[in-house]
Amino acid sequence: MEFSEKLKTLRIEADLTQSELANKLFLTRQAISNYEQGRCYPSIDTLVEMCKLFNTDLDALLSCGVKKRYMLKVVIASSLLFVSMLLSVACVYVAALKNLSLAFYTVTGIAIHIIPFMCFLTYLIFQYDPPKRANKFFGYRTKLSMSNKLTWDYAQTYFSAIYANISMILLGLNVIFTIISTFIGFTACLIVFCIITCVQAVCLLVPVIFTERKLKTFSK
């Protein structure tokens, strides 16, 4: 069942009109109408409010047509990853032609893809096969996220969505770095590589900061 049909069914079962549902979710009636006609999808925050209102879980709603919304990120990140890796191979080839350090350009070409790939892989796992319940081994595990089932589902989805955005940004930076590395000297290339590596490492903490902030607001 598509999300639009699921929402309409839940609304009717709750004996609510579109206007009444809109008021409870602090939305416009037109927004509810658009959701039920499949013209657009609600944000994660709105989905959480729907879960509380209809006494269901986030995974039940995300297993419907809403997941199509996230396919665009997969396509973009995959395309950027392919282009970035292709350019890295070309960069190594150019380095060989210029008799530069082949080992250095090979290692940097591999190293700058590790963190973006990990972010992308995390997004794929958490969006399409997230941990269904709080556990001791796998998932976004913090005190706030493990407080109840709804916050757990919300944390996994929101956390991984940020990682998807970070993956695309970092892969875009990789493309830029790979292109300019063929025109600059060895020392300059090493400095830029160190800067990008530091930026990538810091970016790993960003999803935690934003997710915890969201969970604090959500728990209130």
Side-chain angles (χ1 to χ4, degrees):
M1 182 183 291
E2 291 294 322
F3 171 76
S4 55
E5 299 171 331
K6 180 76 172 180
L7 176 60
K8 187 174 182 178
T9 300
L10 290 172
R11 177 177 62 78
I12 293 174
E13 289 177 351
D15 195 25
L16 295 172
T17 65
Q18 288 186 344
S19 296
E20 290 171 339
L21 177 58
N23 290 334
K24 290 180 179 294
L25 296 175
F26 302 101
L27 300 171
T28 63
R29 190 204 63 79
Q30 185 60 44
I32 301 299
S33 177
N34 289 337
Y35 297 157
E36 292 188 355
Q37 294 182 45
R39 294 175 181 170
C40 60
Y41 296 112
S43 66
I44 294 297
D45 292 336
T46 301
L47 285 171
V48 169
E49 293 302 321
M50 289 179 178
C51 289
K52 291 191 288 186
L53 180 62
F54 296 125
N55 194 28
T56 184
D57 59 71
L58 193 59
D59 187 64
L61 289 176
L62 290 177
S63 63
C64 305
V66 173
K67 279 196 172 180
K68 294 179 180 178
R69 175 187 180 191
Y70 304 106
M71 284 303 297
L72 180 60
K73 290 185 178 181
V74 174
V75 173
I76 294 175
S78 299
S79 300
L80 285 171
L81 180 62
F82 175 76
V83 171
S84 182
M85 293 181 68
L86 189 64
L87 287 173
S88 293
V89 173
C91 181
V92 172
Y93 178 74
V94 172
L97 292 178
K98 294 182 178 181
N99 294 320
L100 299 174
S101 176
L102 194 61
F104 170 76
Y105 286 95
T106 302
V107 171
T108 56
I110 296 173
I112 62 174
H113 287 93
I114 294 176
I115 291 179
F117 179 75
M118 288 174 56
C119 293
F120 180 50
L121 186 62
T122 299
Y123 170 73
L124 291 178
I125 294 174
F126 277 63
Q127 284 292 334
Y128 296 97
D129 190 24
K132 298 296 187 292
R133 57 180 62 88
N135 60 83
K136 297 181 179 180
F137 308 103
F138 177 61
Y140 181 83
R141 301 177 63 255
T142 64
K143 183 178 180 180
L144 287 174
S145 69
M146 299 176 72
S147 58
N148 59 66
K149 181 65 166 63
L150 197 54
T151 55
W152 174 262
D153 290 340
Y154 178 84
Q156 313 312 309
T157 302
Y158 188 79
F159 174 77
S160 60
I162 297 177
Y163 258 148
N165 295 332
I166 289 176
S167 174
M168 290 185 285
I169 293 172
L170 294 182
L171 286 171
L173 289 176
N174 285 356
V175 170
I176 297 173
F177 166 73
T178 306
I179 292 175
I180 66 174
S181 64
T182 59
F183 300 102
I184 60 179
F186 175 82
T187 304
C189 186
L190 178 60
I191 293 173
V192 175
F193 168 72
C194 291
I195 293 173
I196 288 181
T197 303
C198 291
V199 169
Q200 289 183 349
V202 171
C203 284
L204 290 175
L205 301 176
V206 173
V208 178
I209 296 173
F210 280 91
T211 303
E212 286 301 295
R213 185 180 299 175
K214 273 286 186 179
L215 288 175
K216 286 179 181 178
T217 303
F218 176 69
S219 62
K220 290 178 182 179

